[in-house]
Structure formats: C-alpha cells, structure tokens
Amino acid sequence: MTLIKKIAINSRNADTSALLSLILAALAKSDWSTNTFLTSVIGKVTEYNTSLTEAINRLKTYSQIGEKDLVRDLQIRSLFKLVEGYTHIPVAEIKEAALVVYNVLVQYGLEIQHEDNAAETAEVNSMLNDLSKPEVAAAIAKLQGVAEIVAALTAAEKDFETIALQQAEGEGAKKDLATASKLKKAAIKEVNDNLVGYMNTMAKVQPDTFLSTAQTIAELIENNNELVKRRRTKSDEEVEAEAI
C-alpha cells in the first residue's frame, strides 16, 4: 500500500514552496549524510525551492507595482477633477487661483495616467515640480483640499518608485531566473519521481529509520492535495490569478 501520494501538479506556486519547505524541514530532523541518493534529492529540492521563493517574491513585486500605479492614478484623477471644479465657482479669488493651478495641469493632461510606467513617472514628477513653484503653491493654498491631494500624489509617486526600483534591482540580479511556474513543476517532478517512491519503499524495508519521516511527508502532501481539491470548482482564470 502506498504511504506517500504524489504532489498534485496544479498546486499553487506559493503553496508548493510552503510544502517543499515543510518536507525539507521534516527530512532535516534526521541525519541522511550517509545516504547519497537521498542527500542528492534533498539538495535538488532545496535548490528548486530557493529559486521558487525568489521567483515568487519577484511576482509579488510585479503585483505591487500594479497596485501602486492604481493608487497614483486615483490621486491624479482626484487632483484634476477637484481643480477643474474650482474653476467653475463664481467667486473671483477662488476661480483665479484655480485657473493658475489648472493651467499647469492641462499642460500634462489627464491622459498621463495611461502612459507607460516610466513615462508617467517622469510626467508626474515634472508636474509636481511645477505645482511647487511659489506662485502656483500660493494659488493651491487658496483651494481647500488641493494641497492634501498634491501631498497624497507625491507620496503615491514615491511609493511607486520604491517598488519599481526593487523590481529593477531584482531584474538585474536575477534576469535569468526561470519563471515560478516552471520551477514549481520541476520541483514537484523531483519530489514525485524520486523522493516519494524511494521513501515509500524504504519505509517498508527499514521502518525504524524511514517510517516516521515518511508518515510526516505523507500527511503534508495529503493536506496540500486536499487544498487543491477544494479549489477545483474555480475557473482556470481564477486559479491562475491566485497562483502566486
């Protein structure tokens, strides 16, 4: 009777990484240094899991960039709409101040939010610089809420640039890093093809040495596979979106 079942190949990237870490931790509780086959398998799984973890972190950075860009775009739209609204107020002082600020904004246009990330960053920074000029800053001070939105946009831009820098550094250091999905498949194949069968056999041949570890690994994989089963009702698109 098979003790350890194979890992479901449609496990999520992050779930697979967590599972591999737990399997490696279970194996680390015993000394396998004299077992050349098992130490070789452990070494390969460890390498795959390290690379998989790095790839997942990169994917998280990509996701964060999108989120930060949405926040930045929201502040841009809020700024344009509020200032434009002030230009229609029939109060001379407020309308004049609003036109000073609006004349700066229209030089860039609301369309900057649809530029590629690098171009939008350049445009936003240039716009913020123009808005900080003394005569424009004085006009902003007369328009309730505008200074707060400018501050929020400044903070959103800095947040975006921080994440973008992290991605750029990651790309430079790991440009040849395989995708997370490919690493996940390779790691699962290593465990399924080499570790599972070996541990099942040795748990029967040398139970005193292998059975306890095999039972732990079996439970870990069973828990992972059960989680995969519960997600089968979701569409492929949903599963792919959640794969990180």
Side-chain angles (χ1 to χ4, degrees):
M1 180 177 180
T2 301
L3 177 64
I4 308 174
K5 296 180 180 179
K6 293 185 177 182
I7 301 173
I9 59 173
N10 55 336
S11 300
R12 292 179 180 178
N13 294 336
D15 290 344
T16 299
S17 180
L19 174 60
L20 295 177
S21 295
L22 290 171
I23 290 174
L24 290 170
L27 289 166
K29 291 183 178 180
S30 300
D31 181 10
W32 310 104
S33 58
T34 59
N35 188 318
T36 56
F37 176 81
L38 196 52
T39 53
S40 175
V41 173
I42 291 173
K44 290 178 181 178
V45 174
T46 300
E47 289 179 6
Y48 281 132
N49 195 35
T50 298
S51 296
L52 177 58
T53 300
E54 292 173 346
I56 289 171
N57 288 336
R58 285 182 59 197
L59 289 171
K60 288 180 179 178
T61 299
Y62 286 125
S63 176
Q64 289 174 353
I65 282 181
E67 294 170 1
K68 298 298 183 183
D69 185 42
L70 287 175
V71 173
R72 178 173 65 172
D73 291 347
L74 175 62
Q75 298 303 331
I76 290 173
R77 291 194 294 272
S78 296
L79 178 61
F80 273 76
K81 289 181 179 180
L82 181 57
V83 173
E84 183 181 9
Y86 275 127
T87 64
H88 300 291
I89 292 180
V91 178
E93 183 180 9
I94 293 178
K95 186 172 184 177
E96 290 173 3
L99 287 172
V100 171
V101 182
Y102 187 71
N103 287 337
V104 172
L105 298 182
V106 294
Q107 294 178 38
Y108 297 92
L110 191 55
E111 293 76 16
I112 63 173
Q113 65 182 310
H114 303 305
E115 299 276 1
D116 63 63
N117 288 336
E120 184 175 346
T121 290
E123 294 283 351
V124 169
N125 281 324
S126 179
M127 184 174 71
L128 289 172
N129 183 62
D130 288 345
L131 292 173
S132 69
K133 293 178 178 179
E135 65 276 14
V136 183
I140 289 174
K142 298 177 182 179
L143 306 173
Q144 185 176 359
V146 174
E148 288 76 8
I149 294 179
V150 171
L153 175 56
T154 300
E157 177 58 38
K158 288 182 178 178
D159 284 347
F160 177 85
E161 291 179 20
T162 297
I163 296 299
L165 178 61
Q166 290 178 8
Q167 177 184 313
E169 291 174 342
E171 288 290 342
K174 302 292 182 182
K175 62 181 180 179
D176 294 326
L177 187 65
T179 63
S181 59
K182 289 182 179 178
L183 287 164
K184 178 196 73 173
K185 290 177 181 178
I188 290 177
K189 180 175 174 59
E190 181 66 29
V191 172
N192 288 348
D193 291 355
N194 296 316
L195 182 63
V196 171
Y198 180 79
M199 291 298 293
N200 280 334
T201 298
M202 296 308 294
K204 297 175 183 178
V205 176
Q206 298 180 27
D208 291 344
T209 303
F210 289 90
L211 183 58
S212 178
T213 302
Q215 288 174 332
T216 299
I217 294 174
E219 182 177 355
L220 292 172
I221 293 178
E222 179 61 29
N223 290 340
N224 174 80
N225 291 351
E226 182 60 32
L227 184 61
V228 171
K229 288 180 182 178
R230 292 202 298 266
R231 290 171 176 156
R232 281 180 178 172
T233 56
K234 294 190 175 184
S235 67
D236 292 341
E237 289 79 5
E238 288 176 310
V239 172
E240 181 66 23
E242 295 174 343
I244 297 175

